Amino acid sequence: MAKEIYSKYPLIKYLRKEALPTALCPGCGGGTVLNAFANAVDQLKIDPKDLVVVSGIGCSAWIASPYFLADTLHTTHGRAIAFATGVKVGLPDKKVVVISGDGDLASIGGNHLIHAARRNIDITVILVNNFIYGMTGGQVAPTTPFGAKTTTSPYRNIEHPLQISETVAAAGASYVARWTTAHVYQLIESIKKALQVKGFSLVEVISQCPVQFGRRNQMKEPAEMLRWYLKNSVPISKAKNMSPEELEGKFVIGEFVNRERPEFVTELNKLIDEVQEHFGLKGESDGV
Amino acid sequence: MIIRGDEPEQIRLIKKLYKPGNYFMQGNEALSYGALFAGCRFYAGYPITPSSEIAETMARELPKLGGYYLQMEDEIGSIAAMVGASWTGFKVMTATAGPGFSLMQENLGYAVMTETPLVLVDVQRSGPSTGQATKGAQGDFFQARWGTHGDHPIVALSPTSGQDAFWEVIRAFNIAERLRTPVVVLFDGVLAHTRELVKIPDVEEVEITYRKLPANEEEAKLPFGDPHGDGVPPMPLFGHGYFTHVTGSTHKENGLRDVYTPEVHDKLVRRIHRKIEQNRHVYEKYEEHFTDDAEILVVSWGVTARPALGAVLKAREEGIKAGLFVPKTVHPFPGERMRELGKKVRAVLVAEMNLGQMIIEVERYLNDDVLLKGVNKIGGVPLTVEEILREIRGVA
Ligand SMILES: Cc1ncc(C[n+]2csc(CCOP(=O)(O)OP(=O)(O)O)c2C)c(N)n1
Ligand code: SF4
């Protein structure tokens, strides 16, 4: 009973039609992220044959895998970046992109996230931060706002959320930006930049999960969540002059870093070259 | 599509770097050279005693061959990176010990389910937990078999010396490539650190296998099909425009997830089992000594197979008709041969550095009239010839 798919959407060519319609709930921010990613790929004229998309486990992991028509590697929970590291070493000329959730990439996968940033390996990570574990039924996440309600913090969350973009920027990434699903054009621009940067890039997208998060926190309509994002977003330039108290509960958005640093796979190949040179292993005939 | 490590250039490099001849080296080093000869050009790992010399050797040698050494942030990341690299066409390996092997188990299952060739060396050390971290043991026999979850087959080999490790790791790569599956090498801390004579052959004497690649577009579109009836799907590598979808969830032949149809799961998991069962000739291997007329059979594996052979030789000198059976592929267990041998002998002694693991496999193939006894020792010190001989005399 395959449902009819509206094929006029011009970017449908980037999607794996046999996998549609998506499993995401109506109103989920995941659709916006997929759309933004497809737009970025289209605007940059990246041939999907030159893309490998890797994801972990969670609703957000489904955004590009299986829906995006490229080589896609859907991995274990938390490990997408580590899998992607092996892919990037094998295919240094391809764009290796990880799209997954905040629980996946920053909780169970937090170690891989900061170490990939430290290594500055040329992988683009689109981290979908919906403040919750959506797929497993709305449990508290390391990004859940202080005081928010979830199925495992039914009274209120007493833990402080991890500031992912700040952490990854500090760990050494080449490019870090944070937007919300209410900032679609900025988001597309940032994904484009991230895809072009030679080094580790992270685009954190604050994205609505009306079903698991919104419903339990007086925002069961997607639009209410988008209004919440707009009302509380603070550009990074302005945030610099604000006190921690003033920033409580706000979403700092914008570009956190955009810098050049030696990239891991490039350095690895340079090292191999040097070693082969040093041991006289280069070139053809050497009397063997 | 290319499998890294099979270019003619690689043969030239190996020839230039590693002259055939006799060397005095650690088991860990011998095993590493075996991996290099087998075509391993990607290693991702995390240091742990008693496996670390494998990482050190690979870090030193791989760049010379144009290969990659990655020290990951942990063992989970290591096996993950290997899977990613394998899908780009690398022959890949990691080495670890008990605690690290435990951490790798989830992704070992992922490699089984996604049919990703890789070689995972577990240099067994004393446990549970950090136990005696620097001491050898043979306690991971069942971790190799049942460490990850679900119904899954596994192929595991166990070398008995440094020289054997050189060849067995090559065999591990060949099996992994031929059957598109992870292969575990159960080495141990004693052999890993023992220095002994290792003969390095000419690279052209080494037979090397490469994974089957899709013959055409159609085969590439079914990365989990079975076009050749041997249970082994050709592997379309990433980066060649096939838009391959790989997931650890239950998937159809085209790779797309279907976790709701019982038949899809049944068919996939049974095929993964069948490809291991029906290709026994690819990996089954065991050694036998004096089994023709043996009345008492010693069964042993890995490091313990060596004092076991010593004990059998001594017993023969004393006129006791003892024989030795050494499974070299320990999983799947060479059960048919074990059953045949069990019918011919009066007593079976299973010697191993644990409290009794392989003996459970052996027992499954014996009739009730055979006396079965374990010769077990833990504490980090290997069994001696004398200790095993004493047990042989005891049942003679
Ligand atoms: C090792 C492991 N632990 C736990 C799970 C269960 N699990 C599946 S998805 C998920 C959370 C996903 O959260 P997030 O990444 O934020 O994605 P979302 O669904 O919110 O988009 C968890 C805990 C798992 N699959 N594997
Ligand atoms: S549960 Fe939340 S994150 Fe998951 S698909 Fe539904 S709305 Fe999206």
Side-chain angles (χ1 to χ4, degrees), chain B residues 238-378:
Chain B
F238 282 176
H240 297 273
Y242 291 121
F243 300 151
T244 305
H245 180 54
V246 180
T247 171
S249 295
T250 295
H251 43 271
K252 297 177 284 195
E253 294 189 343
N254 65 6
L256 283 184
R257 186 175 187 267
D258 178 352
V259 301
Y260 302 108
T261 316
E263 294 75 26
V264 171
H265 185 80
D266 187 277
K267 189 172 169 207
L268 170 65
V269 176
R270 281 187 200 273
R271 178 180 56 73
I272 292 175
H273 277 265
R274 174 164 56 79
K275 86 172 168 183
I276 301 300
E277 278 155 29
Q278 91 183 54
N279 288 294
R280 213 166 249 277
H281 61 281
V282 173
Y283 56 79
E284 185 155 88
K285 190 178 172 190
Y286 44 79
E287 253 173 51
E288 293 185 28
H289 302 269
F290 310 106
T291 47
D292 285 350
D293 64 342
E295 292 167 4
I296 298 165
L297 183 71
V298 180
V299 180
S300 195
W301 61 291
V303 57
T304 315
R306 296 169 74 175
L309 179 59
V312 165
L313 288 169
K314 284 235 154 102
R316 286 266 160 185
E317 280 170 23
E318 294 176 12
I320 303 170
K321 284 197 172 161
L324 176 65
F325 181 58
V326 182
K328 301 300 286 289
T329 302
V330 297
H331 298 298
F333 195 71
E336 276 319 301
R337 186 60 190 151
M338 186 65 240
R339 198 190 303 280
E340 287 164 17
L341 291 172
K343 282 189 189 139
K344 301 202 289 188
V345 299
R346 194 159 50 67
V348 173
L349 299 175
V350 183
E352 43 185 344
M353 277 177 83
N354 57 42
L355 290 180
Q357 297 196 14
M358 186 181 272
I359 193 171
I360 296 172
E361 273 286 354
V362 171
E363 186 175 16
R364 303 204 293 140
Y365 301 100
L366 296 184
N367 294 332
D368 287 349
D369 56 352
V370 180
L371 172 73
L372 176 66
K373 200 163 177 236
V375 184
N376 308 99
K377 185 172 175 183
I378 54 172

Side-chain angles (χ1 to χ4, degrees), chain B residues 26-35 54 93 121 162 165-166 169 185 187:
Chain B
Q26 271 192 1
N28 274 344
E29 291 171 282
L31 186 148
S32 307
Y33 287 113
I54 299 176
M93 182 175 89
V121 179
F166 177 90
V169 83
V185 177
F187 208 34

Side-chain angles (χ1 to χ4, degrees), chain A residues 57-61 76-79 100-105 108 128-136 139 141 143 209, chain B residues 106:
Chain A
I57 301 289
C59 299
S60 308
T76 46
H77 189 36
R79 314 301 166 193
S100 216
D102 53 295
D104 188 70
L105 293 167
I108 186 168
V128 183
N129 183 356
N130 57 14
F131 304 139
I132 199 97
Y133 285 19
M135 180 161 272
T136 40
Q139 296 84 9
T143 46
C209 169
Chain B
E106 185 195 11

Side-chain angles (χ1 to χ4, degrees), chain B residues 79-249:
Chain B
I79 181 165
M82 284 163 76
V83 172
S86 187
W87 275 92
T88 71
F90 276 116
K91 286 189 171 187
V92 300
M93 182 175 89
T94 193
T96 187
F101 193 29
S102 298
L103 290 182
M104 290 181 183
Q105 291 295 343
E106 185 195 11
N107 283 340
L108 181 60
Y110 183 90
V112 169
M113 192 64 154
T114 55
E115 301 178 76
T116 307
L118 61 83
V119 173
L120 196 172
V121 179
D122 171 28
V123 185
Q124 297 166 93
R125 66 185 219 182
S126 177
S129 190
T130 14
Q132 301 162 287
T134 59
K135 304 287 188 199
Q138 291 180 288
D140 300 349
F141 182 77
F142 283 117
Q143 186 179 199
R145 179 66 195 90
W146 297 115
T148 191
H149 60 284
D151 294 305
H152 64 87
I154 201 81
V155 177
L157 318 184
S158 186
T160 55
S161 68
Q163 180 74 71
D164 199 32
F166 177 90
W167 288 105
E168 285 297 284
V169 83
I170 292 172
R171 207 162 69 81
F173 273 99
N174 287 346
I175 298 165
E177 293 285 319
R178 175 93 177 266
L179 300 184
R180 228 186 106 177
T181 194
V183 173
V184 176
V185 177
L186 284 175
F187 208 34
D188 64 78
V190 182
L191 294 178
H193 285 166
T194 300
R195 283 183 186 277
E196 53 187 341
L197 182 84
V198 175
K199 183 171 182 281
I200 299 292
D202 190 294
V203 61
E204 315 220 20
E205 290 168 35
V206 180
E207 219 184 286
I208 292 180
T209 312
Y210 293 93
R211 70 193 69 167
K212 200 165 27 175
L213 299 172
N216 49 47
E217 200 73 22
E218 258 157 79
E219 285 191 5
K221 292 285 172 212
L222 296 177
F224 302 92
D226 183 12
H228 306 285
D230 58 354
V232 188
M235 186 168 176
L237 303 178
F238 282 176
H240 297 273
Y242 291 121
F243 300 151
T244 305
H245 180 54
V246 180
T247 171
S249 295

